[in-house]
Amino acid sequence: MDVPRYGVGLQFNPELMGWFPFFEEPLDVLEVLFDSVMGPLDGPALVAPRSVELVQQISGTIPLIGHSNYGGDFGFLDLADTTAVRRHVPLARSLDVSWVSNHCFYSDASWSDVWSSPLQFSSAEAVRAAGRARALQELYGVPFAHENAAYYRACPGSDMPEEEFLAQLIGLSGTYLHLDLHNVYANEQNHAAQGYSVRRFLDTIPLDRVICVHMAGGRWIDGQYHDLHDTRVPDPVWDLLDEVLSRAKPSAVILEYETQALFCDGETLDTRQTTEMIQADLERGRTAWDRAYGANSRHTTASGVL
Amino acid sequence: MDARLVWDTWRRILTDDQLVAQVSTGGAEGVSPGDLSPEQLAIIRDYASTPAATIQNIGMYRRGLVRNSLGALSLAPLTSRILYTSTLDPEAVAEDFARSVAYRDYGPNFWSNAGDFVAFLAGLPAFAAPACQDAIAIDAGMIALQRRLSEQAPPVWPDDAGPIKAGPDGDIPWDATRFVASPAAVLVGSSRDIGDWIENPTEFDAGEPLPVCPQQWLIHVPAPSAAREYARLSDRCARVFWALRRGQTVAELATGLPDIPLADIRMLVSSLASLGVIGEQDRLAPGLPDGPAPPAQGGPLPDHISVMLDPSVELLDDELLGYRLLAHGHFSVGMAIPPGEGLLAVVAALKERPIRIGELRARFDNQQIVSAILESLHRNGFLYAAAPSAPSQAELDRMRGRAALLRGSYLRPAFDFSLDEPDLVETVAALLAAADRPPDLVLRAASLDDHAGVLGKLARLRLTGIDQFHSVVVQCQALSGDPELCRALNQLGATVDLEGVDWPGAVTAIPGLEVTTRQCVAVHAVMTPDLTILDSDTRQRAVDWAASVSLTGLRLRLDPDRLWPNGDPGDGAFTRVFEAVQDLENRLGDACIVNLPSDEVLLGNARPLASPVPPSALFERFRLAYLRWRLPVLKGCENDNSWSQVPEVEGKLVRVEGDYLPQHPEVLGLKQGDVLVDVCGGLGRVARRMSAAVGSDGMVISIEMFRCIGELARRFASERGFRNLHFRQGIAQRLPLPDAVADAAVNEWTGAIWELGLGPAMIGEMARVVRPGGRIATTHRLVRLDLARLAEPWVQYAEIYNWIRQSFERPDLTIVAEHIWGQVAPSMIGENATQWRKQYMPRLINPHGVIYTRDENINPCADLYMTIVAQKNE
């Protein structure tokens, strides 16, 4: 499958709507969260009425990619009954996204249990998940990538490291990877004692299948590191990006934030400071990208087709 | 570890407070086996081995539920505003709600989440104010609409429907076009004018007192991804919209709404069509079934939640034809458990304690039946989604409140007004327009004098309105002899309950009674018997008095605290009183206890009475004893013969075109305005078919001995817009009418009457109530002829001809016609058995959801009937 190369973009997160100047930024790509624009699964609307105008605003003006949190992709419902098939697939077509990414979590028609339910890292689950992934990629008709998870604990019954599971999954499914570097970083903060290693992770996953990178921040609370998306991207994560860009050729780097008031050095920033900080991170991302791919290599700076 | 089992077990932990406590302690040994398999225990111990991470995950889950419920509530702007401007802490309320639904994760089913949350909030005392309830009802109506549209999208959305171009110059001929309401629109009523709040929910001030001002709101969804829209409808416009639940031409609308000029109806139709909320039936709702909308469903219950029977549900000892019965003490409703292996076991498992549905399923092989049982119990309010531990009284009250809401969506509405209430007619009209099925109406007045005007207006409302009452009962302490008032009562379809009549009969004549009954108004005497009701002779005095004054029946008010001032006499004494009432009914034809749940309540068709004062402990025992006694009696009215067809299939049994008397009303001498008595009226087929023969100024009085059958007949008729049919309880051998008040009387296909030897008495009664010169007729099948074996006719009652003939040979009757007619006998093959069985009580599962695959009559057969008509001598 062809994967166009875009550059550096931002997640179109509902928490940023109404105050962040999305359309004043030279964004190369925008990542749409299907779950936040779709209509309720038990209602008639594909796009929620409150999102219709928003979707019209972004359609055709900037390259879009789709991100799915709660599709039930890897759960145990019949695929045809999942939110992924009933809402995300038609949304992906309607928005004409270049690719779609999802999460390596279990869910069915549920939301709140998702983040505590990383996939079981076992061969049997790699085979089962690969079958669903392959079928979904066919339905989407565009590349389909899976995001590595941040988790507080692994799923009982896991008997292999996450990176080996992902390598096996991708090898069986013919799908792609969506590499969240902050998730990798967070897992190392929380699970290094149990043997988690960023180094081994990056050396094991098939880097050539990485089509997108997520960058975000988080914080320590009560002895645990949390993937809260409410700080700047930490320096070690930027270092990881440089490394990945030197070893792989992802098509986009997407920054994620989920608050109007970022935390910084123990303080809560106001909206203006938050905006400036996100803009600074975006600029840092663009610099890293250009360093790896060369000048004029992004959607907003390229003169022709890349 | 199997990943699926891990996932299911984790979801169970998330929703189970006991397991949460156990995995949070970090001590794997703290996990008690309970009903858990060794594999599940191993998984739970695995989670317990990382308490910090597991607590983090559980907290994240439960905070997520609260956040998502509050997020979903934003879809219901009025209710959301009510919550956020109240003194309650929204997050704490959302936590209570999450607990009340056993920590269910609705996920992307936002409408379901919003709907359940709104229903939960509706039951909170803080939001009991009428304006709050109005606003919540509007949100609930909108949410139900959205969910309905999710299940079935309309063929044409309002935005695509376009205005109609009708009339002489338009594309659509008015007269030939059948219009219908769009399924993408719903009408919701409010008791107050909350228009400003609908327009701007942020202005909602729940504390602002608003006067009673009934309004009708049209909510519609113009397109799949469009926001819903609201429109205030005038009373006339609402009535037109409501009438278009079924396809109608403008001419038909005008017939049903004679108080609205035809030109105005066209204007209102055009106006509604411009919104796209009505349109041509062929385009808008080609498959729209006739009749009222199906009742709301409770929805499937997921495996991870725990469920329990209401603690007041009791399994009765009685067994009827293999059926066992459940009595719901709280809702006063029964449910039948059909014979079938394992059904009782499922009920027993639900009775013990809250049980996870997944666990229940694991115990039984037939998952389809388990699902059907759970759905059925849930829908009827017997089963709740519960916390895994036994609920507190407050939680039980909440669960019952939610169940009451679900039941309220399909129980018949009931309204109770004083006839002296200002703006009564307008209020009733508004409530009628908002009700989704014909309601019961109780009107109270000290005396009927001075109320002819308002009853006349209500009668006109019924005659001209688009909707119907299921029943109208006028409660009063004094009658009026005003003929106009009696006429209004009949037009209204009302029966009169005359309060304060002495037991066992009035000592002196009751003013106005004879005039009222002679005009065929149904009058019941309300009496408060003492324990002399146990005496057979006293009961006979009551029957004789009631018959002597042509009462329709007796309404008994039984107060156990007065009957047994020394305390509880035990169930045996209660039962003797109930049996005495039953004996009265058997003799008189119509006698029941008014301060105990009616049969319609027990059968799950109507709401229970709201008691103005808390009942005494003795009364509660009395009521529960009544449930235990009455439910088996009601179940005993059912059987498995195939003569109780619903209207949808009745044409198969006796075809309209072949039905003799409706096709030939002239043999009865019937004309418009006449009174026709239909004896043994059953489900009302004959009454409905004869309705046109007496016209809107006439009456068909259908007399049926089984109350539950008569109520069904009344429902079928009211839902189909009949306005001149009167359904009364009574027995053929004592018709509840004075002498010579009817123009004709008929009895069709009542074999048992003849078989029991009651035929002559029935003919005598029919002759009594008909005026001289009036006619009576009876029809019965003589033989069934197997067309391949004509020499061997099948005869049900060999003596039927002689029985009937001899009964008619009376000095006061002259036989004027004996018609022999026939039709090809229908085959039942391919028919759904449910439509042909006498089953009235809600059942745990439907054992008749089958298609007939064989017929006793292999060959084509013909039925031969005889209709015999006699005239009462002058």
Side-chain angles (χ1 to χ4, degrees):
Chain A
M1 284 183 163
D2 291 335
V3 188
R5 188 168 296 154
Y6 290 129
V8 178
L10 197 57
Q11 186 176 77
F12 203 46
N13 194 292
E15 295 292 335
L16 272 59
M17 309 281 180
W19 59 272
F20 187 80
F22 279 100
F23 303 104
E24 293 166 23
E25 275 294 304
L27 297 176
D28 299 309
V29 61
L30 204 55
E31 185 182 68
V32 180
L33 293 172
F34 287 154
D35 300 291
S36 67
V37 297
M38 76 178 206
L41 195 61
D42 55 353
L46 173 63
V47 176
R50 64 168 181 269
S51 302
V52 169
E53 201 177 321
L54 210 59
V55 166
Q56 284 168 348
Q57 207 176 358
I58 56 175
S59 292
T61 59
I62 184 169
L64 300 178
I65 56 176
H67 192 56
S68 145
N69 285 332
Y70 306 110
D73 308 27
F74 293 134
F76 297 93
L77 281 183
D78 280 352
L79 208 51
D81 296 331
T82 59
T83 310
V85 171
R86 291 172 57 195
R87 287 285 184 273
H88 296 176
V89 167
L91 266 177
R93 290 184 179 153
S94 143
L95 292 168
D96 195 22
V97 298
S98 300
W99 68 81
V100 176
S101 56
N102 73 344
H103 275 282
C104 290
F105 284 106
Y106 295 111
S107 66
D108 43 38
S110 55
W111 279 31
S112 298
D113 51 21
V114 172
W115 307 108
S116 61
S117 308
L119 294 187
Q120 185 189 68
F121 304 138
S122 66
S123 286
E125 278 302 277
V127 172
R128 194 186 67 84
R132 291 173 76 93
R134 192 167 49 246
L136 268 174
Q137 181 164 262
E138 276 179 25
L139 288 171
Y140 277 123
V142 293
F144 186 37
H146 317 304
E147 177 177 340
N148 55 299
Y151 39 84
Y152 295 109
R153 56 153 293 152
C155 177
S158 295
D159 56 10
M160 62 170 70
E162 181 185 5
E163 54 273 19
E164 282 179 28
F165 171 82
L166 290 172
Q168 194 174 341
L169 166 64
I170 298 302
L172 291 167
S173 64
T175 51
Y176 299 82
L177 277 176
H178 174 114
L179 177 60
D180 189 315
L181 288 174
H182 186 254
N183 286 350
V184 177
Y185 174 76
N187 284 347
E188 185 169 63
Q189 304 306 305
N190 289 327
H191 310 311
Q194 287 79 43
Y196 189 94
S197 153
V198 171
R199 181 69 24 229
R200 196 180 60 224
F201 188 94
L202 293 179
D203 289 346
T204 306
I205 60 167
L207 284 171
D208 60 324
R209 303 295 286 178
V210 173
I211 57 174
C212 191
V213 172
H214 259 175
M215 303 285 284
R219 290 184 285 141
W220 286 94
I221 301 172
D222 295 335
Q224 279 181 319
Y225 187 81
H226 300 271
D227 174 41
L228 291 173
H229 301 185
D230 64 353
T231 70
R232 291 190 67 168
V233 179
D235 285 344
V237 180
W238 286 115
D239 295 341
L240 289 174
L241 178 63
D242 285 338
E243 180 183 344
V244 168
L245 289 175
S246 70
R247 296 171 63 186
K249 293 294 174 196
S251 294
V253 173
I254 301 293
L255 275 60
E256 298 179 284
Y257 304 92
E258 277 185 71
T259 177
Q260 195 170 350
L262 288 179
F263 281 90
C264 183
D265 299 329
E267 289 187 17
T268 305
L269 305 184
D270 62 21
T271 303
R272 183 184 60 78
Q273 291 168 317
T274 299
T275 305
E276 289 171 358
M277 207 150 269
I278 292 174
Q279 287 169 329
D281 271 356
L282 278 167
E283 191 52 37
R284 191 168 176 180
R286 287 190 275 265
T287 303
W289 177 281
D290 290 350
R291 200 160 47 236
Y293 288 93
N296 304 327
S297 60
R298 289 179 287 109
H299 179 75
T300 52
T301 58
S303 51
V305 176
L306 294 165
Chain B
M1 285 177 184
D2 175 67
R4 173 70 191 261
L5 186 66
V6 173
W7 164 243
D8 287 342
T9 307
W10 174 238
R11 300 243 297 185
R12 178 167 172 183
I13 294 170
L14 289 172
T15 57
D16 184 329
D17 282 335
Q18 267 183 322
L19 287 176
V20 164
Q22 288 172 336
V23 295
S24 302
T25 60
E29 290 72 27
V31 179
S32 60
D35 55 55
L36 300 165
S37 68
E39 293 81 8
Q40 287 174 307
L41 278 172
I43 293 163
I44 291 168
R45 290 191 176 116
D46 196 319
Y47 280 112
S49 69
T50 58
T54 298
I55 291 168
Q56 178 67 33
N57 279 331
I58 292 166
M60 196 163 57
Y61 176 76
R62 296 200 171 174
R63 287 192 299 276
L65 296 182
V66 168
R67 191 171 55 245
N68 291 341
S69 287
L70 291 172
L73 193 65
S74 70
L75 295 169
L78 295 167
T79 313
S80 179
R81 171 75 180 170
I82 290 172
L83 175 61
Y84 279 96
T85 54
S86 73
T87 55
L88 303 178
D89 172 5
E91 295 215 349
V93 173
E95 278 175 29
D96 283 347
F97 166 66
R99 204 172 300 115
S100 77
V101 293
Y103 301 107
R104 175 181 171 188
D105 186 346
Y106 291 84
N109 296 302
F110 309 140
W111 288 121
S112 303
N113 195 346
D116 286 356
F117 197 12
V118 164
F120 174 81
L121 295 172
L124 296 185
F127 306 131
C132 285
Q133 291 290 316
D134 281 346
I136 289 173
I138 284 172
D139 277 344
M142 181 270 293
I143 291 167
L145 173 65
Q146 300 276 7
R147 293 180 65 182
R148 189 174 80 200
L149 291 173
S150 155
E151 285 159 17
Q152 190 165 15
V156 180
W157 288 87
D159 266 0
D160 301 327
I164 51 170
K165 294 177 189 164
D169 305 324
D171 304 332
I172 301 172
W174 277 116
D175 294 340
T177 305
R178 209 165 267 276
F179 296 99
V180 72
S182 166
V186 68
L187 200 60
V188 180
S190 67
S191 67
R192 268 68 176 167
D193 182 358
I194 56 170
D196 290 344
W197 296 342
I198 290 175
E199 204 167 316
N200 186 1
T202 58
E203 294 295 311
F204 197 156
D205 178 2
E208 186 180 334
L210 292 179
V212 173
C213 180
Q215 300 286 318
Q216 295 299 324
W217 306 98
L218 181 81
I219 308 174
H220 69 285
V221 179
S225 281
R228 71 277 185 171
E229 293 184 3
Y230 303 85
R232 184 203 305 265
L233 297 191
S234 69
D235 177 55
R236 297 197 316 169
C237 195
R239 288 164 59 200
V240 168
F241 178 81
W242 190 242
L244 291 176
R245 286 172 299 161
R246 295 169 209 142
Q248 296 199 51
T249 62
V250 168
E252 287 167 339
L253 276 172
T255 307
L257 305 168
D259 60 324
I260 308 180
L262 184 64
D264 288 4
I265 288 186
R266 287 180 173 165
M267 185 194 71
L268 292 166
V269 166
S270 297
S271 160
L272 287 165
S274 68
L275 288 173
V277 297
I278 67 163
E280 299 158 71
Q281 182 170 16
D282 294 345
R283 283 187 71 214
L284 220 57
L288 188 72
D290 197 19
Q297 299 294 315
L301 295 162
D303 267 8
H304 67 276
I305 67 163
S306 297
V307 287
M308 60 174 282
L309 284 186
D310 188 297
S312 74
V313 172
E314 195 179 330
L315 177 66
L316 303 188
D317 294 332
D318 309 71
E319 183 175 323
L320 295 102
L321 296 171
Y323 281 77
R324 294 289 297 275
L325 301 174
L326 292 174
H328 194 313
H330 179 75
F331 286 132
S332 294
V333 67
M335 201 165 186
I337 306 174
E341 199 175 339
L343 300 187
L344 275 174
V346 175
V347 173
L350 291 163
K351 182 80 181 143
E352 292 162 9
R353 59 181 169 76
I355 181 171
R356 279 184 69 253
I357 290 179
E359 184 195 337
L360 184 74
R361 288 185 182 287
R363 292 193 196 174
F364 299 95
D365 293 334
N366 191 332
Q367 297 301 305
Q368 205 176 352
I369 286 186
V370 173
S371 296
I373 290 173
L374 293 176
E375 198 280 331
S376 166
L377 287 168
H378 184 231
R379 180 178 145 65
N380 286 285
F382 282 63
L383 180 88
Y384 310 130
S389 51
S392 65
Q393 186 59 45
E395 284 165 334
L396 183 62
D397 290 344
R398 268 202 295 273
M399 291 191 286
R400 285 173 171 169
R402 285 169 46 75
L405 278 173
L406 175 62
R407 280 164 48 79
S409 67
Y410 60 80
L411 295 184
R412 195 161 57 237
F415 305 121
D416 186 335
F417 291 105
S418 161
L419 272 170
D420 295 313
E421 195 150 326
D423 302 327
L424 174 66
V425 177
E426 292 73 18
T427 305
V428 170
L431 289 169
L432 271 181
D436 63 355
R437 71 204 67 202
D440 291 317
L441 180 65
V442 175
L443 299 168
R444 286 171 284 104
S447 167
L448 287 187
D449 280 333
D450 306 328
H451 291 101
V454 69
L455 286 167
K457 282 184 188 170
L458 284 169
R460 280 191 290 283
L461 179 72
R462 184 188 185 218
L463 287 177
T464 59
I466 50 174
D467 215 317
Q468 290 275 10
F469 308 105
H470 175 82
S471 71
V472 181
V473 176
V474 178
Q475 295 177 347
C476 60
Q477 287 158 1
L479 297 169
S480 161
D482 180 358
E484 271 308 302
L485 185 138
C486 292
R487 184 174 152 78
L489 288 168
N490 279 337
Q491 287 175 337
L492 194 52
T495 62
V496 176
D497 282 3
L498 180 61
E499 296 277 352
V501 178
D502 292 332
W503 166 261
V507 181
T508 55
I510 296 174
L513 178 58
E514 186 180 352
V515 177
T516 306
T517 56
R518 285 224 49 88
Q519 295 195 61
C520 298
V521 175
V523 179
H524 301 102
V526 182
M527 298 174 163
T528 306
D530 52 24
L531 282 178
T532 58
I533 193 172
L534 296 172
D535 174 54
S536 177
D537 291 342
T538 308
R539 290 200 296 276
Q540 189 57 44
R541 282 171 57 203
V543 171
D544 292 343
W545 174 77
S548 70
V549 294
S550 301
L551 279 185
T552 299
L554 300 179
R555 298 286 175 262
L556 305 178
R557 187 164 279 128
L558 297 177
D559 179 356
D561 290 288
R562 287 179 59 189
L563 289 175
W564 296 283
N566 297 326
D568 191 342
D571 279 9
F574 294 155
T575 302
R576 282 193 289 282
V577 169
F578 303 146
E579 286 171 346
V581 175
Q582 181 67 55
D583 176 64
L584 258 184
E585 176 152 287
N586 293 343
R587 298 190 206 182
L588 183 65
D590 181 6
C592 64
I593 307 170
V594 281
N595 57 332
L596 284 175
S598 71
D599 289 352
E600 283 292 274
V601 170
L602 297 176
L603 295 174
N605 297 324
R607 287 183 171 81
L609 295 170
S611 174
V613 288
S616 70
L618 181 60
F619 184 87
E620 277 303 276
R621 287 197 291 280
F622 188 58
R623 181 179 66 85
L624 293 175
Y626 183 69
L627 256 60
R628 294 184 201 109
W629 174 80
R630 186 67 183 171
L631 286 170
V633 171
L634 290 176
K635 183 66 191 166
C637 296
E638 301 181 349
N639 64 48
D640 268 1
N641 78 27
S642 56
W643 284 84
S644 65
Q645 70 279 10
V646 296
E648 285 78 6
V649 297
E650 68 187 18
K652 187 179 181 72
L653 204 61
V654 184
R655 296 187 183 111
V656 178
E657 61 271 21
D659 204 358
Y660 183 73
L661 288 174
Q663 294 296 323
H664 300 282
E666 69 280 2
V667 303
L668 291 170
L670 284 177
K671 58 185 187 305
Q672 300 291 295
D674 276 356
V675 174
L676 170 68
V677 180
D678 175 22
V679 182
C680 304
L683 292 172
R685 172 173 50 79
V686 172
R688 290 194 299 275
R689 289 184 177 182
M690 297 299 290
S691 164
V694 297
S696 58
D697 289 336
M699 296 172 76
V700 179
I701 301 173
S702 176
I703 312 285
E704 164 57 42
M705 70 179 288
F706 286 113
R707 197 181 303 277
C708 53
I709 297 178
E711 290 286 354
L712 261 183
R714 179 177 285 135
R715 199 188 94 199
F716 292 151
S718 60
E719 286 175 356
R720 281 160 181 77
F722 288 92
R723 298 191 177 96
N724 60 355
L725 306 188
H726 300 252
F727 295 93
R728 297 177 188 174
Q729 195 183 341
I731 47 179
Q733 62 273 31
R734 198 203 78 75
L735 296 179
L737 289 163
D739 297 351
V741 291
D743 298 289
V746 296
N747 163 266
E748 301 217 307
W749 286 282
T750 315
I753 283 282
W754 300 104
E755 194 182 14
L756 294 171
L758 296 172
M762 174 181 74
I763 297 296
E765 276 293 274
M766 289 166 76
R768 178 182 66 79
V769 301
V770 167
R771 63 173 165 78
R775 293 188 172 185
I776 70 171
T778 188
T779 295
H780 209 281
R781 181 171 57 188
L782 298 177
V783 295
R784 168 162 289 184
L785 299 170
D786 185 328
L787 297 181
R789 294 186 299 172
L790 285 171
E792 302 168 39
W794 175 77
V795 176
Q796 187 178 15
Y797 302 115
E799 298 298 317
I800 190 81
Y801 176 75
N802 288 335
W803 287 341
I804 296 176
R805 178 80 206 190
Q806 286 163 13
S807 298
F808 273 83
E809 287 170 353
R810 297 165 48 97
D812 55 349
L813 292 178
T814 302
I815 293 175
V816 295
E818 285 182 60
H819 289 279
I820 305 294
W821 56 286
Q823 65 170 10
V824 173
S827 163
M828 302 292 282
I829 291 177
E831 296 293 322
N832 186 326
T834 301
Q835 305 195 82
W836 299 88
R837 306 287 181 131
K838 285 187 174 176
Q839 300 285 341
Y840 310 120
M841 191 176 289
R843 275 155 287 157
L844 194 63
I845 57 167
N846 183 1
H848 300 305
V850 295
I851 303 294
Y852 288 106
T853 55
R854 65 182 190 86
D855 201 321
E856 289 171 4
N857 306 302
I858 300 166
N859 304 314
C861 291
D863 283 339
L864 272 189
Y865 306 103
M866 179 183 70
T867 298
I868 186 164
V869 185
Q871 180 162 314
K872 184 170 178 183
N873 298 328
E874 298 279 354

